[in-house]
Amino acid sequence: MEVALCEEKLKDADKKKRGELKNLEKALEKTIETIWKCSVIVEDGINVNSGGNKDMTQGQMQLMQEFHSRVNEFMDDLDNLNKEADKVPHITIPSSVIEKVDGGTNPDLATSKFFKDAQNKNDSSRGKLFSTKIYADQLAARLAQWDRSNQVHQGQSLPNDDDAAADEDAVVDI
């Protein structure tokens, strides 16, 4: 019962996260569209101004007003984009993935290389841990052997296995 409830909560959280990412994507698309509209206005202004007339014409004034309104729209889009970005949990994208996208290559190559490198480092760490455990066991065995030989040299008697077994039998669980 509790497992089903936890799975349902995870699905709801996943849906919410996807919705937040979708809203962020829409806000980003709107911001890019506004930038594109601004660039079209600038290009139109260059074409209108190529006549050589130094005074601003009515067409240029309209383009200037439209450009200012698009810049204001862009600022509003940036505010909205910032608000939507704050709703999305922090996601770290490796710079190699961004470089692959900028370079026009498949970012899956960088991602798969990242996972292979992580797997190799994990295997290496696991090997070091295993070697350290073996070394610690060998060291403990040698220290015990050294301790026994040291006791023999000092004339102390070593406990034999029969005495140890008798001591274990004497212990009573309550």
Side-chain angles (χ1 to χ4, degrees), residues 30-98:
K30 185 170 182 336
T31 305
I32 292 170
E33 182 181 339
T34 304
I35 292 171
W36 180 79
K37 288 177 182 177
C38 286
S39 69
V40 168
I41 293 171
V42 169
E43 286 295 318
D44 287 347
I46 290 172
N47 292 336
V48 169
N49 197 22
S50 61
N53 188 1
K54 294 183 180 179
D55 295 330
M56 289 188 85
T57 64
Q58 184 69 21
Q60 288 175 327
M61 289 294 284
Q62 288 176 344
L63 284 175
M64 186 66 85
Q65 289 173 350
E66 187 177 347
F67 180 74
H68 284 291
S69 69
R70 294 293 180 196
V71 168
N72 289 333
E73 181 182 346
F74 174 69
M75 297 306 290
D76 293 339
D77 290 346
L78 283 180
D79 286 339
N80 186 33
L81 185 64
N82 193 28
K83 289 175 187 173
E84 293 297 329
D86 287 341
K87 295 177 186 176
V88 176
H90 182 70
I91 300 171
T92 303
I93 301 173
S95 60
S96 59
V97 172
I98 295 172

Side-chain angles (χ1 to χ4, degrees), residues 92-121:
T92 303
I93 301 173
S95 60
S96 59
V97 172
I98 295 172
E99 289 170 2
K100 294 283 184 188
V101 170
D102 286 344
T105 58
N106 189 350
D108 289 342
L109 300 175
T111 305
S112 63
K113 183 182 181 312
F114 175 78
F115 283 118
K116 285 179 185 177
D117 290 345
Q119 185 178 14
N120 289 338
K121 288 179 183 179

Side-chain angles (χ1 to χ4, degrees), residues 116-152:
K116 285 179 185 177
D117 290 345
Q119 185 178 14
N120 289 338
K121 288 179 183 179
N122 188 25
D123 290 343
S124 175
S125 296
R126 195 177 303 140
K128 289 176 184 178
L129 183 65
F130 182 71
S131 298
T132 303
K133 176 146 177 42
I134 291 173
Y135 175 75
D137 292 344
Q138 290 176 351
L139 181 63
R142 287 191 181 175
L143 284 174
Q145 183 183 10
W146 176 78
D147 191 38
R148 285 188 187 140
S149 67
N150 198 17
Q151 287 177 355
V152 168

